[in-house]
């Protein structure tokens, strides 16, 4: 089905002729590549915990530490409102934003594997610098190296997984990226829970252990095969077919290989893939995949919770250890959500998960806002029962996000771009994602300070908008071969007016003339 209740089924080209088996070679390649998510996840999890540790604050942000010890009414929501402190978190994402354009060039011309290797090296260097930091400048430079690593990894890994996966299980395979991201967050929170008790250098251990997933990713990346799509795009046809046969476990790959060659021929005609994204035939991918979904993924409010779960729980009256423990519970909920999505997304589809979870998330944000409006902000700790209620609500919110906007925010963009604009499109995805991640990281604590409980109502309103966006504009992509997704737009109730066959032919004619 192309677009929920708004589209008719459309014919695909050769999808019914595709054959595959699950081979050990394929499983190894996907697991190693998916380690790229652990880099992103570990940093998401470790940053919030470290910025709530007293030893870290004493060394680098003494003003924040002193304010944290106060219990004045006006500081309940504002204990951590410090732009330099939030720059420690957000600088990574600004660096990732810039680096993804360099990653696009390498991913397209040198292959997905090359970007994965570059990302792991840069992340390793950033982790070493952060662990050894003696001043804020070293912290920020380390974060920039980490950001470059995440920019390259997030650009290449979702593409790698989607291109390696058979169409019928592409959703589950691509979400290995989200699963390892969630596991990285969970492991980081468990590490923070332990290192918080190691004085005065526990925070250094938390930051330095980021070298472990970077090392594993680099060593594994040395043995990764390149994707057949990328090999064909580079003109290495014989090698591409051999890899395709090996990962599909059969020599009967003529139909899929022919589709890859057709897509590659179209890609070679495009000399300026970023410019090509602006053509009418690519308008759905640009609006939905490159701009809408990656921006909305951050505007759910989820990353605010991931960045600052320990900070939030401390602001709500939990002690330092209890806040880290609570954030560990929420990261566990995120892992559970990813497993649920992996198991069911290829059965029920992307739209169902987006819309059902979006409804839940809206309700939970309203519940948090109402609870804080009534019970929080008088300069006293919340009652234990109210605190437990907030932890439960936040966990349910995380669970809903973890099976919808979290994994699908990477899955859907990675599967809807045609090969000729795929690396460029993924760069825009990462760029927009990192831009909004950085903005949320930089603005959340000051927004919490000034808007108080109202910030959660703002996120609730945004969730309503993004759910409507999905309902009206996103066609269902489950089990559609990645090189044939473009056919869905021609059968969608809205997009067919923009990318009808006549418009596609006109765009292709103009491209040939250029």
């Amino acid at each position: 089905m192309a677009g929920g209740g708004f589209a008719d089924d459309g014919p695909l080209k050769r999808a019914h002729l595709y054959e595959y088996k699950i081979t050990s070679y394929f499983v190894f390649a996907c697991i190693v590549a998916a380690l790229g998510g652990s880099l992103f996840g570990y940093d998401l999890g470790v940053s919030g915990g470290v910025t709530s540790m007293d030893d870290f604050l004493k060394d680098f942000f003494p003003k924040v530490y002193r304010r944290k010890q106060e219990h004045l009414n006006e500081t309940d929501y504002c204990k951590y409102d410090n732009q330099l402190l939030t720059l420690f978190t957000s600088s990574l994402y600004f660096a990732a934003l810039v680096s993804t354009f360099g990653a696009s060039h390498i991913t397209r011309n040198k292959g997905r594997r090359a970007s994965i290797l570059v990302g792991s090296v840069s992340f390793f260097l950033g982790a070493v610098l952060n662990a050894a930091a003696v001043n804020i400048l070293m912290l920020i430079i380390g974060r920039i190296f980490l950001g470059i690593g995440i920019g390259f990894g997030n650009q290449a890994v979702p593409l790698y997984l989607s291109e390696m996966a058979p169409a019928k299980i592409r959703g589950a395979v691509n979400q290995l990226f989200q699963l390892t991201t969630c596991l990285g967050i969970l492991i980081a929170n468990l590490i923070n829970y332990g290192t918080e008790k190691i004085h005065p250098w526990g925070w250094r251990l938390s930051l330095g252990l980021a070298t472990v997933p970077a090392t594993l990713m680099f060593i594994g990346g040395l043995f990764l095969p390149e994707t057949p799509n990328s090999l064909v795009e580079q003109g290495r046809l014989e090698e591409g077919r051999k890899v395709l046969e090996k990962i599909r476990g059969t020599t009967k790959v003529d139909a899929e290989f022919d589709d890859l060659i057709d897509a590659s021929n179209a890609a070679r005609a495009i000399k300026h893939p970023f410019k090509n994204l602006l053509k009418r035939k690519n308008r759905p991918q640009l609006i939905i995949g490159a701009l809408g979904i990656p921006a909305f993924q951050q505007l759910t409010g989820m990353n605010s919770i991931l960045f600052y779960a320990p900070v939030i729980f401390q602001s709500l009256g939990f002690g330092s250890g209890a806040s880290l423990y609570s954030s560990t519970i929420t990261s566990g909920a995120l892992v559970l959500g990813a497993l649920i999505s992996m198991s069911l997304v290829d059965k029920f589809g992307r739209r169902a998960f987006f819309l059902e979870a979006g409804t839940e998330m809206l309700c939970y944000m309203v519940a948090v806002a109402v609870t804080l409006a009534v019970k929080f902000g008088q300069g006293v700790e919340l009652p234990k029962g109210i605190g437990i209620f907030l932890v439960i609500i936040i966990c349910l919110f995380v669970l809903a996000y973890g099976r919808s906007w979290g994994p699908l925010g990477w899955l859907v963009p990675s599967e809807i771009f045609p090969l000729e604009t795929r690396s460029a499109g993924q760069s825009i995805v990462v760029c927009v994602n990192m831009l909004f991640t950085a903005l949320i990281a930089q603005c959340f604590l000051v927004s919490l300070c000034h808007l108080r409980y109202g910030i959660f109502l703002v996120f609730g309103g945004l969730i309503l908008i993004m759910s409507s966006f999905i309902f009206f504009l996103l066609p269902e992509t489950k089990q559609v071969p990645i090189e044939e997704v473009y056919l869905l737009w021609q059968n969608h109730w809205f997009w067919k007016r923009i990318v009808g066959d006549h418009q596609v032919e006109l765009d292709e004619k103009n491209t040939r003339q250029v």
Side-chain angles (χ1 to χ4, degrees):
M1 188 168 70
F6 295 94
D8 300 321
D9 292 337
L12 296 179
K13 292 165 62 181
R14 290 179 277 242
H16 62 288
L17 300 175
Y18 288 15
E19 295 186 23
Y20 74 93
K21 300 174 185 177
I22 303 299
T23 66
S24 57
Y25 186 71
F26 165 75
V27 172
F28 164 79
C30 290
I31 290 176
V32 170
L35 285 173
S38 67
L39 306 185
F40 190 33
Y42 188 87
D43 185 81
L44 281 173
V46 82
S47 298
V50 166
T51 53
S52 73
M53 292 182 185
D54 288 346
D55 292 323
F56 177 80
L57 293 176
K58 288 177 185 177
D59 287 345
F60 298 99
F61 304 97
K63 290 183 179 179
V64 177
Y65 174 74
R66 289 193 296 271
R67 189 189 306 163
K68 177 182 171 182
Q69 307 309 310
E70 298 173 353
H71 294 284
L72 303 175
N73 291 1
E74 63 270 20
T75 63
D76 275 351
Y77 285 98
C78 304
K79 291 177 181 178
Y80 294 88
D81 178 19
N82 181 285
Q83 289 300 294
L84 195 57
L85 176 61
T86 51
L87 182 62
F88 165 74
T89 299
S90 60
S91 58
L92 179 148
Y93 303 100
F94 285 120
L97 183 159
V98 175
S99 68
T100 187
F101 293 103
S104 172
H105 177 78
I106 292 178
T107 300
R108 179 171 184 175
N109 295 290
K110 303 298 182 182
R112 286 53 166 154
R113 175 175 170 269
S115 283
I116 290 173
L117 291 172
V118 172
S120 62
V121 171
S122 182
F123 198 88
F124 182 92
L125 294 174
V128 171
L129 273 173
N130 270 185
V134 294
N135 53 52
I136 292 177
L137 181 61
M138 284 186 69
L139 282 178
I140 301 300
I141 293 174
R143 298 289 290 175
I144 290 172
F145 274 103
L146 292 173
I148 293 171
I150 286 177
F152 273 81
N154 286 14
Q155 210 277 345
V157 171
L159 289 186
Y160 186 94
L161 294 173
S162 287
E163 291 181 346
M164 294 290 279
K168 291 186 178 180
I169 59 171
R170 186 175 63 245
V173 171
N174 181 274
Q175 289 187 58
L176 284 170
F177 177 77
Q178 178 68 10
L179 178 62
T180 55
T181 299
C182 298
L183 288 171
I185 294 169
L186 176 60
I187 291 170
N189 277 305
L190 291 172
I191 288 173
N192 282 340
Y193 185 68
T195 58
E196 193 265 340
K197 300 177 177 64
I198 302 175
H199 302 289
W201 52 270
W203 63 269
R204 294 187 185 276
L205 183 59
S206 287
L207 295 176
L209 285 175
T211 56
V212 175
T215 301
L216 292 175
M217 183 175 164
F218 178 79
I219 294 174
L222 294 175
F223 300 97
L224 275 182
E226 187 53 81
T227 70
N229 311 61
S230 179
L231 291 170
V232 170
E233 188 179 19
Q234 296 174 54
R236 298 153 65 182
L237 299 184
E238 184 177 348
E239 188 178 350
R241 184 180 178 100
K242 287 181 180 178
V243 172
L244 185 61
E245 291 178 354
K246 200 168 184 179
I247 63 175
R248 296 292 181 258
T250 177
T251 58
K252 299 177 181 179
V253 296
D254 290 340
E256 187 171 2
F257 190 67
D258 288 343
D259 277 350
L260 292 183
I261 291 177
D262 288 349
S264 177
N265 290 334
R268 285 198 186 94
I270 306 300
K271 296 182 179 179
H272 305 288
F274 284 98
K275 184 177 179 180
N276 189 257
L277 271 174
L278 301 177
K279 293 184 179 295
R280 286 190 63 169
K281 68 175 183 177
N282 292 320
R283 197 66 51 77
Q285 297 96 314
L286 175 66
I287 293 174
I288 294 176
L291 301 176
I293 288 179
F296 284 141
Q297 186 190 45
Q298 306 311 314
L299 294 175
T300 58
M302 180 61 211
N303 271 3
S304 300
I305 293 174
L306 290 182
F307 288 147
Y308 301 117
V311 170
I312 290 172
F313 287 127
Q314 282 196 26
S315 294
L316 297 180
F318 291 78
S320 179
S323 69
L324 289 172
Y325 182 68
S326 299
S327 63
T328 301
I329 295 175
T330 60
S331 58
L334 196 60
V335 172
L336 178 59
L339 291 172
I340 292 172
S341 188
M342 284 183 66
S343 302
L344 301 175
V345 73
D346 286 315
K347 179 179 180 181
F348 293 106
R350 286 61 160 152
R351 284 168 51 87
F353 274 88
F354 270 129
L355 297 175
E356 180 276 329
T359 302
E360 284 191 40
M361 291 162 66
L362 172 59
C363 295
Y364 297 143
M365 278 296 184
V366 172
V368 171
V370 171
T371 303
L372 294 181
V374 173
K375 293 292 185 181
F376 185 64
Q378 287 86 38
V380 296
E381 292 190 1
L382 286 170
K384 183 177 180 180
I386 297 297
I388 293 174
F389 171 76
L390 283 173
V391 171
I392 292 173
I393 289 295
I394 289 176
C395 283
L396 290 174
F397 176 88
V398 170
L399 183 62
Y401 173 90
R403 66 179 184 271
S404 60
W405 281 95
L408 301 183
W410 293 106
L411 167 61
V412 173
S414 73
E415 66 185 2
I416 66 175
F417 290 101
L419 183 61
E420 64 263 26
T421 60
R422 193 167 297 153
S423 61
Q426 187 66 13
S427 286
I428 301 296
V429 171
V430 176
C431 176
V432 172
N433 188 288
M434 292 298 122
L435 174 62
F436 279 85
T437 302
L439 291 175
I440 292 293
Q442 193 68 26
C443 298
F444 175 72
L445 290 180
V446 67
S447 299
L448 180 66
C449 178
H450 293 286
L451 296 178
R452 302 161 71 86
Y453 60 84
I455 186 63
F456 297 101
L457 293 177
V458 171
F459 284 131
L462 289 169
I463 290 169
L464 179 60
I465 293 172
M466 63 186 71
S467 296
S468 301
F469 176 87
I470 294 296
F471 182 77
F472 289 109
L473 297 181
L474 179 67
E476 182 54 68
T477 57
K478 70 173 182 179
Q479 300 187 9
V480 178
I482 193 170
E483 303 303 347
E484 300 185 1
V485 169
Y486 75 93
L487 295 170
L488 299 178
W489 313 117
Q490 298 174 18
N491 296 286
H492 187 271
W493 74 277
F494 175 78
W495 294 119
K496 67 182 179 182
R497 307 173 191 177
I498 298 174
V499 298
D501 291 337
H502 66 285
Q503 184 62 46
V504 173
E505 292 172 2
L506 180 61
D507 278 351
E508 289 176 347
K509 181 179 179 181
N510 291 337
T511 298
R512 286 193 296 270
Q513 291 175 348
V514 172

